[in-house]
Amino acid sequence: MQHSSEFNDIIMSLDELIAACGAERGWVLALIEENIIEYDVPEKQQFTGSQLATVRRASRLSRDFEASIPAIGLILELLDEVEQLRQYKRQQEAATHSVYTIEVDFQQK
């Protein structure tokens, strides 16, 4: 396992990824075939910590819900969408709270 200066992340081989997540090789290969995870550096078949996190998350979904590989892909996609929507909502709320209203009362005497 090495560190990447370009990604500021760890870089690992397929075997290192499999060992780090504790999954079976065939199961991880099925995630790759289903495009749930992709090689971050395709020509070297290397992965980053982000893919490791995705494999671990997929493993929990498989274990907790007995989800198939295609179902895991869909669930992860929907969870990412929900997180994006929550982030958008937080940004909108922050923008709304940062706008100040000043009331000025002009009375002519």
Side-chain angles (χ1 to χ4, degrees), residues 14 17-18 25-39 45 47 51 55 69:
L14 176 61
L17 176 71
I18 292 167
R25 182 180 193 83
W27 189 79
V28 174
L29 290 174
L31 293 177
I32 294 168
E33 289 173 11
E34 196 67 34
N35 292 322
I36 293 171
I37 59 169
E38 298 175 352
Y39 294 111
Q45 296 185 342
F47 301 89
Q51 280 94 4
V55 172
I69 299 289

Side-chain angles (χ1 to χ4, degrees), residues 60-73:
R60 286 191 302 274
L61 289 169
S62 176
R63 180 194 66 225
D64 295 349
F65 300 107
E66 298 179 10
S68 66
I69 299 289
I72 289 170

